[in-house]
Amino acid sequence: MGAKWASTFRRLMHPSLDITTTSPSSWKYLSEGGATLVFAYTGPSDERFDQRVLRLGKNFTAVEDEKSIILFQTEIISCLVPQKHLVHMEAVMLSFSWLETVSTLCASSRPAWRTGDIDLKCTSGFLAPNLVSSPISVEIKPKWSFLRPGMRTCRFCMHSSCRGWTTSYCPLDLFSSSPSRMKNALYALYDSWTAGAATQNNFRLFIGGGLVTRNDLLPILRRLGLLHSSIAEENEVRELVVGSLHASLLQPESLTLLKTLNRLQRTLDGVGIEGLASLWDKVYLGKKTFGEGILQPTLNEWKSFVNEYLEHQNSSVSSQAQPDEVHLRYCILSYLLSATFKDCSIMIKLPDLHHNYSPSQITLIDLDSKPIQRLQKWLEQDRNIVYEYTVISRQKECVDDLDMSTDRLYN
């Protein structure tokens, strides 16, 4: 790993690509999340940028610099997830004036409900393969894939119920071993998307390289020749999209990836946010606010953590260990990494809807490390969700395939 790290580090410290040699108008706004914006290259053919996207940070978020983000994925995440399901990223040079023009050009394309502007002070961004360059691509943000000990309703379903979100989607269905439950989860995701639940961000559809809405879907599919002429109803498109996604997720490689993601979320969660806060209080005896004064992990510290985790990957963090700062630090890193996998997205590239479920490419994205400073916010949010959900009369019962093995996983 040492030689690999050194090579990656040298490449990041001296990025060879100066993106400011391209016109800002050659980068088309594609999508964004809470902390970043993504642009696709649409300029004159250039082998350096063709079929690539540029990711830029926002100015109000505590996002790591691009070098740290790339190193975290190449040196840490790649130890836990097969490389074939990860994207290759490359740092590029930026400038204030170039970013300022990009920011101005994309303003009219951004959803009104999005907040934050491009961080004009960034001197580097990074390029990645354009995962929506195929005829049809779908992004799914699956969220928490397991039931917490003692709970009957999963975290996502509690949250969606308390917020009044229009969805029947349950992550536990998507991660189940039942093909019918997986398909129901995909129907639920698709239906909440067509109902206009864009702010939930759990399902996004890209066609011809651009993000589409329900109203755009049928006309764009027809215009690009991606739909058989006999398909005339939106419900028929729904069946084709869900059927294609379902077949993609039932491929052996996809099922293995879902199982890997489920295992990582579950075992890294360890003692949970409440258990983590309890450990904190035992160590610091109320002298420090949860998460206060704790430094973000270094890359070397992450490497040491992952090595230790992999040595004991069949068991999670023991809540019976002596509550000292070393054990607490391990639990914090474990929870942060679990949060990364709980918040990542799955990109699925579909060739078209003409043929019956052609092979597709499946990739994990949004695998950045999470800041320790969010611990207190997560604790408060979690407590609020649980408290609000307890007063709901019709509580949902989610089914966890591994629920019977909860004792083995958490004790």
Side-chain angles (χ1 to χ4, degrees), residues 141-210:
K141 190 176 285 291
K143 307 301 281 189
W144 291 35
S145 63
F146 62 96
L147 271 178
R148 292 183 295 184
M151 305 296 290
R152 296 189 306 166
T153 311
C154 78
R155 173 63 156 65
F156 179 85
C157 288
M158 284 195 292
H159 197 187
S160 61
S161 181
C162 292
R163 298 298 178 266
W165 292 344
T166 307
T167 182
S168 60
Y169 169 67
C170 176
L172 274 59
D173 291 336
L174 187 68
F175 285 92
S176 73
S177 57
S178 164
S180 61
R181 287 179 60 196
M182 292 176 68
K183 195 165 193 176
N184 287 339
L186 293 170
Y187 277 130
L189 284 167
Y190 187 92
D191 291 343
S192 63
W193 172 72
T194 58
T199 55
Q200 293 174 31
N201 216 25
N202 293 107
F203 184 96
R204 293 196 288 191
L205 188 60
F206 300 84
I207 298 178

Side-chain angles (χ1 to χ4, degrees), residues 135-391:
I136 302 172
S137 299
V138 176
E139 177 184 353
I140 295 175
K141 190 176 285 291
K143 307 301 281 189
W144 291 35
S145 63
F146 62 96
L147 271 178
R148 292 183 295 184
M151 305 296 290
R152 296 189 306 166
T153 311
C154 78
R155 173 63 156 65
F156 179 85
C157 288
M158 284 195 292
H159 197 187
S160 61
S161 181
C162 292
R163 298 298 178 266
W165 292 344
T166 307
T167 182
S168 60
Y169 169 67
C170 176
L172 274 59
D173 291 336
L174 187 68
F175 285 92
S176 73
S177 57
S178 164
S180 61
R181 287 179 60 196
M182 292 176 68
K183 195 165 193 176
N184 287 339
L186 293 170
Y187 277 130
L189 284 167
Y190 187 92
D191 291 343
S192 63
W193 172 72
T194 58
T199 55
Q200 293 174 31
N201 216 25
N202 293 107
F203 184 96
R204 293 196 288 191
L205 188 60
F206 300 84
I207 298 178
L211 187 65
V212 299
T213 65
R214 171 191 176 179
N215 294 333
D216 301 330
L217 180 57
L218 200 53
I220 290 178
L221 285 172
R222 286 173 175 163
R223 177 166 56 82
L224 296 179
L226 299 173
L227 197 64
H228 195 279
S229 58
S230 63
I231 304 298
E233 301 293 333
E234 289 185 0
N235 191 56
E236 294 177 286
V237 177
R238 173 180 182 261
E239 293 298 325
L240 285 172
V241 172
V242 170
S244 295
L245 289 173
H246 189 228
S248 297
L249 292 180
L250 287 179
Q251 294 174 9
E253 281 192 2
S254 302
L255 290 173
T256 300
L257 179 62
L258 289 175
K259 289 179 181 178
T260 298
L261 189 54
N262 174 273
R263 174 177 54 78
L264 290 169
Q265 288 187 11
R266 191 186 296 261
T267 57
L268 286 165
D269 185 84
V271 298
I273 193 69
E274 285 286 356
L276 202 56
S278 177
L279 279 175
W280 180 279
D281 289 338
K282 290 177 181 177
V283 170
Y284 292 111
L285 303 175
K287 297 176 183 177
K288 283 186 177 183
T289 304
F290 189 34
E292 178 188 356
I294 302 298
L295 296 176
Q296 192 70 12
T298 64
L299 188 68
N300 284 333
E301 191 175 6
W302 275 123
K303 289 180 182 179
S304 297
F305 168 81
V306 169
N307 287 336
E308 186 174 351
Y309 166 76
L310 290 175
E311 290 177 4
H312 308 92
Q313 60 181 313
N314 292 323
S315 61
S316 64
V317 182
S318 172
S319 59
Q320 304 302 315
Q322 185 66 26
D324 56 23
E325 290 192 28
V326 173
H327 177 63
L328 174 62
R329 183 71 173 176
Y330 181 92
C331 291
I332 288 175
L333 267 62
S334 187
Y335 191 83
L336 291 178
L337 197 50
S338 175
T340 290
F341 288 112
K342 291 169 186 169
D343 201 40
C344 71
S345 290
I346 299 172
M347 291 296 305
I348 305 173
K349 297 176 70 172
L350 305 174
D352 56 47
L353 298 179
H354 279 304
H355 308 291
N356 287 326
Y357 317 138
S358 303
S360 57
Q361 175 185 340
I362 299 184
T363 308
L364 290 187
I365 61 170
D366 296 340
L367 290 164
D368 305 343
S369 60
K370 300 296 183 181
I372 284 180
Q373 290 73 20
R374 290 187 188 173
L375 287 175
Q376 181 63 33
K377 176 184 176 182
W378 287 335
L379 177 64
E380 294 171 358
Q381 183 185 54
D382 202 66
R383 286 174 174 173
N384 288 337
I385 290 171
V386 173
Y387 175 77
E388 291 177 24
Y389 191 73
T390 57
V391 302

Side-chain angles (χ1 to χ4, degrees), residues 8 15 19 43 64 69-71 79-80 84 104 113 134 166 170 188 244 263 268 287 291 299 332 383 401 411:
T8 304
I19 207 165
E64 288 184 281
I69 290 170
I70 295 175
L71 284 170
C79 295
L80 303 169
K84 61 187 173 184
T104 301
W113 51 271
S134 67
T166 307
C170 176
S244 295
R263 174 177 54 78
L268 286 165
K287 297 176 183 177
L299 188 68
I332 288 175
R383 286 174 174 173
D401 280 359
N411 292 327

Side-chain angles (χ1 to χ4, degrees), residues 31-89:
S31 64
E32 64 184 281
T36 59
L37 298 95
V38 180
F39 297 82
Y41 182 71
T42 58
S45 181
D46 187 325
E47 63 180 11
R48 300 172 301 169
F49 305 114
D50 289 341
Q51 304 299 313
R52 309 291 291 278
V53 295
L54 171 67
R55 181 173 128 162
L56 300 173
K58 293 184 178 180
N59 57 6
F60 71 102
T61 54
V63 182
E64 288 184 281
D65 64 88
E66 285 71 19
K67 301 178 184 69
S68 298
I69 290 170
I70 295 175
L71 284 170
F72 183 74
Q73 175 159 311
T74 56
E75 301 300 320
I76 306 305
I77 298 298
S78 63
C79 295
L80 303 169
V81 176
Q83 187 64 49
K84 61 187 173 184
H85 295 301
L86 301 175
V87 296
H88 171 73
M89 297 182 288

